[in-house]
Amino acid sequence: VMKGKENQARSSLQQLRDFSTAEIELDELVEGISETSKETQHSIWSLVFNARYGLKVLVLIACILHISQQFSGINVVFYYSTPIFIKVFNSESIAQLLSLTLSGINIVAVMVATYLIDGLGRKPLLLWSSSSMTLSSVLIVIAFCTHADKLSALFLVFFVVSFAIGLGPIPWLLLAELFPTNAVASAASVACASNWASNFIVGLIYLPLAELLGNLSFLPFAIFLGLFTLFTFKFFPETKGKSSDLIMAEFT
């Protein structure tokens, strides 16, 4: 659209949306780009300290989403799934195969999520994802404590699928939906920085935490996911079919 190729943009949108939605979204893009050319681009500093209240709230929500993605414990599963499966099946080759399968399941579930997001909406899918991950974490703790090793492997699969359906893709999708065009780049930078910082923190503290808590090592993730589910239910705005200005108006 920025290069003046509106027909190509329309064709691409129609492959992803129904005809009427594609036309509405294209009109919004054209209007947004036209307005953006007249507006000053937000720097990270102005976005965090000088932006309108509603825009600051959206930055905070985006950061919480990305922090929650990492503090859900998903990368702990991917980092340490092989040792867990070795303990369950007493075979390194089977454990490596299952870890690879887990990654494949994650990819397939994300592909399924791309079809569900537009149909069900962002907020319902995010609520389902975080609540299912909370339940999975609790079940993993119970399985660890009762030494039900095969069940723990099954609950890990459910945990990954629940993540891939919602909390995996939605935080990245929302960066383009929550913010006006002149703030997307800076907002995405802040959110991505919070994501990677959280990833670093989780990777740094998990092993000492696991040593301290033993079979309860997934309990902090369960608690955090439960709190995030409540936050999503209470504060998270549905963005489907809404412009960024309309979303911001909900917080002013």
Side-chain angles (χ1 to χ4, degrees):
V1 174
M2 293 180 70
K3 295 181 179 180
K5 300 178 180 179
E6 290 186 24
N7 289 333
Q8 293 182 30
R10 180 180 289 105
S11 177
S12 297
L13 278 171
Q14 287 173 354
Q15 294 177 28
L16 301 171
R17 311 280 193 267
D18 60 68
F19 181 81
S20 59
T21 304
E23 287 298 320
I24 293 171
E25 193 165 335
L26 181 62
D27 289 342
E28 288 179 351
L29 282 171
V30 171
E31 183 181 349
I33 290 171
S34 176
E35 291 177 357
T36 299
S37 63
K38 305 172 187 176
E39 296 177 355
T40 304
Q41 292 291 316
H42 278 287
S43 66
I44 292 176
W45 179 269
S46 68
L47 186 67
V48 174
F49 296 103
N50 299 325
R52 289 174 290 171
Y53 174 77
L55 189 54
K56 289 180 181 179
V57 172
L58 293 183
V59 172
L60 179 61
I61 288 174
C63 288
I64 291 174
L65 275 173
H66 280 265
I67 291 169
S68 300
Q69 187 183 73
Q70 295 301 326
F71 275 86
S72 69
I74 187 62
N75 278 328
V76 168
V77 173
F78 288 125
Y79 294 158
Y80 303 108
S81 60
T82 300
I84 292 171
F85 287 138
I86 288 175
K87 179 183 176 183
V88 172
F89 297 99
N90 200 28
S91 169
E92 187 171 346
S93 59
I94 292 177
Q96 290 175 347
L97 179 61
L98 288 173
S99 295
L100 186 62
T101 302
L102 205 61
S103 298
I105 290 171
N106 180 48
I107 293 171
V108 172
V110 169
M111 293 171 66
V112 172
T114 59
Y115 291 97
L116 295 177
I117 287 172
D118 273 332
L120 299 179
R122 286 65 164 153
K123 184 170 183 175
L125 206 56
L126 198 58
L127 279 171
W128 184 90
S129 176
S130 59
S131 59
S132 297
M133 291 180 75
T134 304
L135 176 62
S136 301
S137 299
V138 172
L139 292 174
I140 289 168
V141 170
I142 293 172
F144 282 169
C145 290
T146 57
H147 304 288
D149 294 333
K150 288 185 171 57
L151 279 177
S152 68
L154 179 63
F155 296 146
L156 283 172
V157 172
F158 183 51
F159 183 87
V160 169
V161 170
S162 299
F163 171 82
I165 290 294
L167 194 52
I170 288 177
W172 302 106
L173 169 70
L174 289 177
L175 290 178
E177 295 187 338
L178 284 174
F179 303 101
T181 311
N182 67 327
V184 168
S186 295
S189 298
V190 173
C192 289
S194 66
N195 189 298
W196 281 105
S198 302
N199 186 10
F200 174 76
I201 292 169
V202 171
L204 191 67
I205 68 172
Y206 176 71
L207 285 180
L209 192 66
E211 180 124 355
L212 176 66
L213 298 178
N215 290 330
L216 299 176
S217 59
F218 260 76
L219 187 59
F221 300 131
I223 294 171
F224 185 87
L225 283 163
L227 293 174
F228 175 68
T229 301
L230 294 175
F231 168 83
T232 302
F233 179 77
K234 182 71 175 175
F235 299 108
F236 182 77
E238 176 57 71
T239 62
K240 180 182 176 182
K242 295 181 181 178
S243 67
S244 58
D245 288 335
L246 189 59
I247 296 168
M248 270 193 290
E250 296 179 18
F251 298 99
T252 55

